[in-house]
């Protein structure tokens, strides 16, 4: 029986998703037995750079012109393209200040050496190619990846939670950090799937999984302003992981016009 061919690719990012995959220690041999891993630069130097793939998993945001070309090449050789991680899905931390000029950012970070980098405003994969499925998270949850593998191989697109971290928090009967403690918590806007890990440890949700479908951003901003947070505080929190998301752009745009 011919095994499905998969590739695991990394663009600009921290390689967190590839590390999550490598850390699937108990399941890694089962995965390797079920698929033919043709590309995985973080794990092997023996990679197939040209052949067709059944599934391509791509992490990281698109930050350089050559990454646009690489991504389009990956898309062309793959039947399914899956974005893994928040950078690939939403742009992530690299995209948090796309409103600033790239040359200013390069100069601020690299000083006089910034000219040696040719960059573009960081964007998620879907800006440049069709993405068939996305597993968000910074990094993605190991369980989300392990659930997705057999379903994708079966030809089905896995279902992810379509509710917010706030719901998971209530299901765990946590004290509400926003209402009770007045913390800047993005749980009401953020896609569930982490089992409200941070709020369960008393740390407000920072929105690292990106916005949930139909997120009511205006309502959240109103509540946070009533709690005494400035619009700058709120916008800095909103833009940290998913600034290019359409659900957040209207609010972030409002900040620019005020």
């Amino acid at each position: 029986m011919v095994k499905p061919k998969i590739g695991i690719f990394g663009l600009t990012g921290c390689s967190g998703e590839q590390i999550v995959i490598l850390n699937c220690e108990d399941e890694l041999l089962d995965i390797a037995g079920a698929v033919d891993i043709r590309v995985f630069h973080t794990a092997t130097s023996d990679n197939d750079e040209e052949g067709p793939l059944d599934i391509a998993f791509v992490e990281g945001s698109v930050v350089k012109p050559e990454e646009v070309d690489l991504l389009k090449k990956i898309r062309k050789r793959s039947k399914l393209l899956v974005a893994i991680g928040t950078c690939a899905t939403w742009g992530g931390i690299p995209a948090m200040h796309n409103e600033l000029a790239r040359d200013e950012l390069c100069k601020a970070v690299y000083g006089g050496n910034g000219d040696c980098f040719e960059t573009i405003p960081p964007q998620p994969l879907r800006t440049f190619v069709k993405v068939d499925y996305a597993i968000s998270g910074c990094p993605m949850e190991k369980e989300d990846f392990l659930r997705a593998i057999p379903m994708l191989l079966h030809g089905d697109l896995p279902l992810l939670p379509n509710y917010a971290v706030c719901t998971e928090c209530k299901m765990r009967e946590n004290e509400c950090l926003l209402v009770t403690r007045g913390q800047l918590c993005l749980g009401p806007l953020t896609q569930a799937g982490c089992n409200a890990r941070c709020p369960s440890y008393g740390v407000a949700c920072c929105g690292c999984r990106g916005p949930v479908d139909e997120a009511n951003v205006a309502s959240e901003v109103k509540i946070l302003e009533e709690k005494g947070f400035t619009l700058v505080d709120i916008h800095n929190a909103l833009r940290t992981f998913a600034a290019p998301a359409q659900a957040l752009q209207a609010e972030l745009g409002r900040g620019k016009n005020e």
Side-chain angles (χ1 to χ4, degrees):
M1 179 178 177
V2 178
K3 296 179 181 178
K5 298 180 177 65
I6 73 168
I8 300 168
F9 301 87
L11 303 181
T12 294
C14 67
S15 301
E17 278 60 47
Q18 296 180 76
I19 293 172
V20 166
I21 294 171
L22 289 172
N23 281 341
C24 295
E25 296 172 348
D26 292 338
E27 301 86 1
L28 204 54
L29 290 178
D30 290 335
I31 295 173
V35 300
D36 181 5
I37 302 175
R38 306 296 294 174
V39 185
F40 195 173
H41 291 106
T42 300
T44 177
S45 57
D46 183 15
N47 295 285
D48 174 5
E49 307 291 357
E50 301 293 339
L53 299 169
D54 292 291
I55 307 174
F57 295 93
V58 185
E59 77 154 61
S61 50
V62 185
V63 175
K64 296 179 287 186
E66 55 263 39
E67 289 181 332
V68 177
D69 297 335
L70 173 60
L71 180 59
K72 290 180 177 178
K73 182 179 177 182
I74 294 170
R75 173 72 270 187
K76 191 173 182 180
R77 62 187 289 210
S78 308
K79 294 178 182 176
L80 279 177
L81 191 147
V82 179
I84 52 175
T86 296
C87 285
T89 305
W90 298 109
I93 290 175
M96 69 188 301
H97 279 305
N98 279 355
E99 78 279 9
L100 302 178
R102 300 303 299 166
D103 55 347
E104 290 181 15
L105 287 172
C106 285
K107 186 176 181 181
V109 175
Y110 299 106
N113 296 321
D115 292 343
C116 65
F117 298 99
E118 185 180 2
T119 65
I120 59 176
Q123 293 291 330
L125 308 188
R126 67 175 184 278
T127 301
F128 304 99
V129 298
K130 177 188 176 186
V131 173
D132 299 296
Y133 186 68
I135 305 173
S136 193
C138 185
M140 68 174 175
E141 297 289 330
K142 167 185 169 183
E143 290 74 17
D144 285 344
F145 178 73
L146 292 175
R147 274 194 298 269
I149 285 281
M151 297 189 74
L152 291 169
L153 294 179
H154 192 259
D156 300 318
L157 293 181
L159 295 177
L160 290 172
N162 61 353
Y163 46 87
V165 170
C166 199
T167 302
E168 291 182 322
C169 210
K170 287 178 171 55
M171 291 170 67
R172 295 191 65 169
E173 300 183 350
N174 292 334
E175 179 185 25
C176 182
L177 300 177
L178 171 59
V179 174
T180 306
R181 299 192 192 178
Q183 295 186 17
L184 203 168
C185 184
L186 297 183
L189 304 179
T190 304
Q191 184 189 40
C194 59
N195 202 20
R197 180 180 293 115
C198 294
S200 298
Y201 285 106
V203 178
C205 174
C206 59
C208 75
R209 294 177 61 82
V212 67
D213 291 345
E214 301 181 356
N216 192 338
V217 180
S219 177
E220 168 82 351
V221 171
K222 181 180 178 184
I223 292 172
L224 291 173
E225 287 183 315
E226 289 172 354
K227 291 291 182 183
F229 294 101
T230 67
L231 201 56
V232 173
D233 293 333
I234 298 167
H235 284 184
N236 283 340
L238 290 176
R239 72 169 70 254
T240 302
F241 290 95
Q246 186 175 3
L248 305 182
Q249 278 297 300
E251 177 57 37
L252 295 175
R254 182 171 76 96
K256 285 192 296 186
N257 296 327
E258 291 182 351

